[in-house]
Amino acid sequence: MTILKTTKELNSWFIENSNGLAKNVGFVPTMGALHSGHGTLIERASKECDSVVVSVFVNPTQFNETTDFQSYPRTLEGDMLLAKDAGATVVFAPSPEDIYGLNVHAERVDYGPVTSTFEGRSRPGHFDGVISVVDKLFVAVKPQKAYFGSKDLQQVAVVERMSRERHPQIQIVSCDLIRDENGLALSSRNARLSSHGIALAQHISSELQASVSRVKKGLETAKSVEMAQYNLEKLGGLDLEYIGGVDKKTFAKSSADRGWTHIVVAARVEGVRLIDNIEL
Ligand code: AMP
């Protein structure tokens, strides 16, 4: 496995491997602090493509809170080991200057509800940063396929929309959400939680699971989501930001549960922002 730290080095790698590995590239964009959720994306890409480029880049423009950006875990040495074991060919770990030049800034993009509801509403500017960096990384990496986790369900919808417009030749592959043995969605941010925080955070996935069980038994989805909201709101130490039903393609807000494919949720525990979702 090769580590490349600039787009210039990446371009040279492409030229050197133009008749081989670089012909059919799978791309896994990440912000590092890799865990087995990332690992499954890399493994899938390595099964489906000749080579896998994993980017490790803590993208400054997608953080709407400076403290979150500064405290985001950075573990490049460990990331390289995990990426290699999972089948990566290249780890691409550029600097912000290399990606953005001197103007570390993201253009405002409005795709309607998919960029303005839920995550878009809770984190102003977040999807501008995501769109900007994924667009730039797609130009640099030139993949045939790009792999994203459905843990960030709305991000998948946003990237699909951006890619349809700007990179129609790249296939976006949405991968399963990976959880720990207690149901907690794996996240790089979990490393910042105490054991008490982890126990509290587990209520997020257990309430999602309970919601789906109630729906399967015949309760209206909207009612079931309301019950989960009530249960999460009464938990001391967990601040619920939102919980709601969505169509995973449009993310249009609607109170009727016709057309909902998923329940999405965001909450803070010990100052750490966590998101999760479940298929209905
Ligand atoms: P991040 O490093 O958090 O930006 O995530 C990089 C990619 O890994 C994104 O496509 C995420 O959706 C995906 N990912 C992160 N956590 C998980 C998980 N628990 N299960 C599946 N994919 C994940």
Side-chain angles (χ1 to χ4, degrees):
M1 193 189 73
T2 313
I3 169 98
L4 304 172
K5 295 216 167 166
T6 63
T7 40
K8 204 170 158 203
E9 287 175 12
L10 187 67
N11 287 337
S12 304
W13 183 86
F14 268 94
I15 293 165
E16 282 158 25
N17 293 281
S18 56
N19 290 321
L21 291 177
K23 274 188 167 169
N24 175 19
V25 174
F27 178 39
V28 183
T30 82
M31 296 206 298
L34 300 185
H35 50 66
S36 50
H38 299 109
T40 61
L41 271 62
I42 302 169
E43 280 163 15
R44 180 156 174 199
S46 84
K47 282 199 191 100
E48 297 180 358
C49 306
D50 293 342
S51 59
V52 182
V53 176
V54 177
S55 62
V56 173
F57 179 61
V58 185
N59 174 32
T61 66
Q62 74 185 71
F63 286 82
N64 54 320
E65 289 169 18
T66 319
T67 47
D68 190 24
F69 173 63
Q70 283 165 346
S71 60
Y72 201 85
R74 287 158 171 90
T75 57
L76 187 58
E77 294 292 310
D79 292 347
M80 290 198 303
L81 294 176
L82 190 145
K84 184 169 183 245
D85 282 351
T89 320
V90 168
V91 166
F92 176 47
S95 66
E97 296 70 33
D98 187 64
I99 293 295
Y100 287 99
L102 292 177
N103 188 16
V104 183
H105 167 78
E107 293 297 324
R108 179 101 193 73
V109 182
D110 181 359
Y111 288 152
V114 79
T115 46
S116 62
T117 61
F118 296 99
E119 285 300 280
R121 181 151 177 232
S122 273
R123 305 184 68 188
H126 169 66
F127 284 130
D128 298 336
V130 169
I131 290 167
S132 176
V133 78
V134 174
D135 185 23
K136 287 174 190 298
L137 290 169
F138 278 5
V139 171
V141 178
K142 302 178 271 297
Q144 272 61 42
K145 293 185 177 184
Y147 296 79
F148 291 84
S150 60
K151 149 124 189 317
D152 297 272
L153 193 71
Q154 195 167 359
Q155 173 171 279
V156 174
V158 169
V159 167
E160 280 175 342
R161 171 69 194 271
M162 182 281 285
S163 192
R164 235 183 1 256
E165 280 186 20
R166 304 188 195 176
H167 304 277
Q169 74 287 5
I170 300 175
Q171 186 188 335
I172 306 301
V173 183
S174 171
C175 304
D176 290 344
L177 191 167
I178 307 299
R179 302 179 178 282
D180 74 6
E181 60 285 2
N182 297 310
L184 179 65
L186 293 185
S187 164
S188 307
R189 289 188 172 89
N190 293 351
R192 285 163 50 202
L193 293 171
S194 70
S195 50
H196 175 66
I198 298 266
L200 262 176
Q202 279 159 8
H203 287 271
I204 299 170
S205 55
S206 58
E207 282 302 328
L208 287 177
Q209 195 57 60
S211 301
V212 170
S213 302
R214 288 189 293 263
V215 172
K216 285 202 174 120
K217 284 184 192 140
L219 187 67
E220 214 180 295
T221 313
K223 287 255 167 7
S224 186
V225 173
E226 261 173 44
M227 285 174 74
Q229 177 171 354
Y230 175 81
N231 291 339
L232 288 171
E233 275 175 351
K234 72 175 189 214
L235 273 178
L238 183 147
D239 293 320
L240 185 66
E241 268 186 23
Y242 64 71
I243 182 164
V246 295
D247 172 309
K248 72 169 179 174
K249 294 282 173 206
T250 65
F251 278 80
K253 275 230 170 205
S254 81
S255 50
D257 58 2
R258 249 170 297 148
W260 286 353
T261 62
H262 288 73
I263 303 170
V264 291
V265 58
R268 272 174 207 269
V269 174
E270 297 177 336
V272 180
R273 190 169 185 282
L274 302 166
I275 60 171
D276 200 346
N277 68 81
I278 196 163
E279 192 168 0
L280 280 161

